[in-house]
């Protein structure tokens, strides 16, 4: 019995150590059979990737020419991407906690290594030289009593230490199994996210191809916008000059004014709600002023700095900064027309959306913008992708290496607090 307990302890202690032991430096390379299996696995993955691309191409072809269905598919895909990114964040946090728990258990076992050696040593000695029985020669009786007294004092302590070590080893094994399951789930989520991003890219490309504006005219507009951005001293000047000198931007401003007048002339709440749910709409479903409490944040992540916070230079923040996932999808908070898309001074890649009624939304810090100048975008529609680190010059003061999205709302050229526009759950996150 004693030897079985010893074997159990030795097995429990040895199993984790063996599982974590790296292969020796002189280990032999994988056998040819292992290499063949790896090649077959890569071939299968390549075939799967080809099948996914063919399926996406068929889906996009089925949507060709149908603006409403194309927008609906794009919005649904954007929602799935946001949900998957949220699940990835939660899974990575759980994995981080499991790794910390495993490190704590390992540290505890390392600290108790000497105690473990004493326990194992005591069990070994008991197994090899059990205490003498009392029914022996008279001259051994005193020695037997002394041994029994010592054993009676030592065994409870040995049992307590054995139970503690066994529980720690069991906890270590549980954490290892939980970690393995979480890593598998994380890998599956990453595959799912890659598929959804590929679908989003295909749908965005199809929407670009369906735009009515000619490619040559669009290229000319982009060149003119870049020239104005180089000359403009600030965002307000940039917007004012673009709305008078760039035809696509001027047209967007005129359409916004017309839609505002039409919406103000009539239409009840039911009509506006129906318009907001129409994926084929070509104008904002709800006036921006009346969209308070309805908008979703453009990206998942934590708010690092809110509107009005100290900017570190003696002033106040004119917008809000959000830490995001690497390569996170950025969506438009509201309906509106793209009046600028490109680099601008310390903003990096800057996107300006005319939401109508004198309101503009600024999004900056993205690695790539996926919409075009003059394009009408829907609330929740993907408009950009974050990079792998901070893109804003001013973000250095935030003390983070993660990508940072800057969001600013403007009314008649002046910065305003965006908090009232966010949906209830989102605004609670902003308030922290």
């Amino acid at each position: 019995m004693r030897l079985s307990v010893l074997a159990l302890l030795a097995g429990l202690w040895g199993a984790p150590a063996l599982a974590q032991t790296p292969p020796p430096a002189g280990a032999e390379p994988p056998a040819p059979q292992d290499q063949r299996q790896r090649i077959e696995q890569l071939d299968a993955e390549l075939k799967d990737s080809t099948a996914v691309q063919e399926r996406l191409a068929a889906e996009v072809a089925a949507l060709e020419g149908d603006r409403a269905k194309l927008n609906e598919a794009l919005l649904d895909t954007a929602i799935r991407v946001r949900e998957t990114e949220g699940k990835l964040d939660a899974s990575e946090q759980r994995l981080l906690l499991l790794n910390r728990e495993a490190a704590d258990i390992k540290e505890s076992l390392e600290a108790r290594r000497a105690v473990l050696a004493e326990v194992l040593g005591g069990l070994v000695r008991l197994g090899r030289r059990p205490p003498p029985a009392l029914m022996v020669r008279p001259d051994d009786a005193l020695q037997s009593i002394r041994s029994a007294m010592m054993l009676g004092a030592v065994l409870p302590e040995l049992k307590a230490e054995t139970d503690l070590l066994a529980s720690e080893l069991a906890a270590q094994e549980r954490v290892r199994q939980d970690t393995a399951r979480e890593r598998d789930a994380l890998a599956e989520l990453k595959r799912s996210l890659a598929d959804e991003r590929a679908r989003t890219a295909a749908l965005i490309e199809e929407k670009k191809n369906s735009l009515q504006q000619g490619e040559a005219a669009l290229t000319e507009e982009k060149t003119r916008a870049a020239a104005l951005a180089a000359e403009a001293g600030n965002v307000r000047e940039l917007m004012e000059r673009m709305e008078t000198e760039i035809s696509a931007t001027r047209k967007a401003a005129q359409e916004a004014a017309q839609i505002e007048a039409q919406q103000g002339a009539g239409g009840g709440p039911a009509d506006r709600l129906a318009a907001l749910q129409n994926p084929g709409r070509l104008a904002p479903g709800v006036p921006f002023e009346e969209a308070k409490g309805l908008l979703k944040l453009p990206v998942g992540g934590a708010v690092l700095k809110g509107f009005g916070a100290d900017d570190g230079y003696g002033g106040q923040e004119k917008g809000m900064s959000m830490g995001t996932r690497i390569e996170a999808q950025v969506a438009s908070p509201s309906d509106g027309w793209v009046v600028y898309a490109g680099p601008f001074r310390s903003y990096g890649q800057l996107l300006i959306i005319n939401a109508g009624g004198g309101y503009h939304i600024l999004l900056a810090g993205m690695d790539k913008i996926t919409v075009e100048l003059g394009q009408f975008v829907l609330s929740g529609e993907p408009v950009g992708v974050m990079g792998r680190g901070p893109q804003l010059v001013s973000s250095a003061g935030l003390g983070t290496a993660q990508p940072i999205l800057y969001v600013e709302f403007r009314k008649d050229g002046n910065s305003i607090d965006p908090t009232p526009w966010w949906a209830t759950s989102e605004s609670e996150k902003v308030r922290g």
Side-chain angles (χ1 to χ4, degrees), residues 254-335:
Q254 292 172 351
E255 290 179 346
Q258 292 174 0
I259 294 300
E260 180 187 3
Q262 293 173 3
Q263 289 174 332
D271 296 332
R272 290 176 180 175
L273 182 60
L276 191 61
Q277 294 174 342
N278 176 21
R281 62 188 183 274
L282 296 174
V286 174
F288 191 80
E289 179 66 30
E290 299 178 15
K292 291 182 178 179
L294 300 178
L295 306 186
K296 292 184 178 180
L297 291 170
V299 70
V303 177
L304 304 178
K305 278 192 175 183
F307 177 83
D310 183 6
D311 64 2
Y313 301 99
Q316 293 181 324
E317 292 288 341
K318 296 182 179 180
M320 52 185 286
S321 299
M322 299 183 63
T324 77
R325 288 186 58 82
I326 290 175
E327 298 179 350
Q329 170 188 275
V330 180
S332 174
S334 75
D335 296 349

Side-chain angles (χ1 to χ4, degrees), residues 225 228-229 231-246 248-253 337-341 344 347 350-355 358-363 373 408-416:
L228 287 180
E231 298 172 4
N234 53 51
V235 172
R236 183 168 187 167
E237 181 183 349
L238 173 64
M239 290 190 297
E240 289 175 349
R241 294 193 60 182
M242 288 191 64
E243 290 187 352
T244 57
E245 300 183 36
I246 303 295
T249 307
R250 184 171 61 252
K251 180 181 177 182
W337 291 266
V338 176
V339 295
Y340 183 78
F344 182 71
Y347 286 87
L350 174 65
L351 177 66
I352 303 178
I353 298 173
N354 184 341
Y359 290 95
H360 289 82
I361 299 175
L362 279 63
L363 302 173
L373 187 66
E408 183 178 336
F409 283 15
R410 284 178 168 249
K411 168 65 173 171
D412 297 328
N414 299 313
S415 301
I416 60 173

Side-chain angles (χ1 to χ4, degrees), residues 181-199:
R181 284 193 294 269
E182 197 63 50
R183 282 175 177 164
D184 291 342
L186 188 62
E188 180 61 31
L189 284 172
K190 287 182 177 179
R191 284 192 291 269
S192 175
L193 180 61
D195 290 345
E196 296 297 346
R197 283 177 172 171
R199 180 177 286 102

Side-chain angles (χ1 to χ4, degrees), residues 133-145:
L134 291 177
M135 299 301 292
V136 292
R137 294 177 301 171
D139 56 345
D140 288 340
L142 182 59
Q143 183 63 30
S144 298
I145 292 173

Side-chain angles (χ1 to χ4, degrees), residues 109 111-121 158 161-162 164-165:
L109 289 172
R112 299 174 63 80
R113 185 178 291 274
V115 176
L116 177 62
E118 292 179 2
V119 171
L120 293 179
L158 282 176
E161 293 293 344
T162 301
L164 180 58
L165 289 169

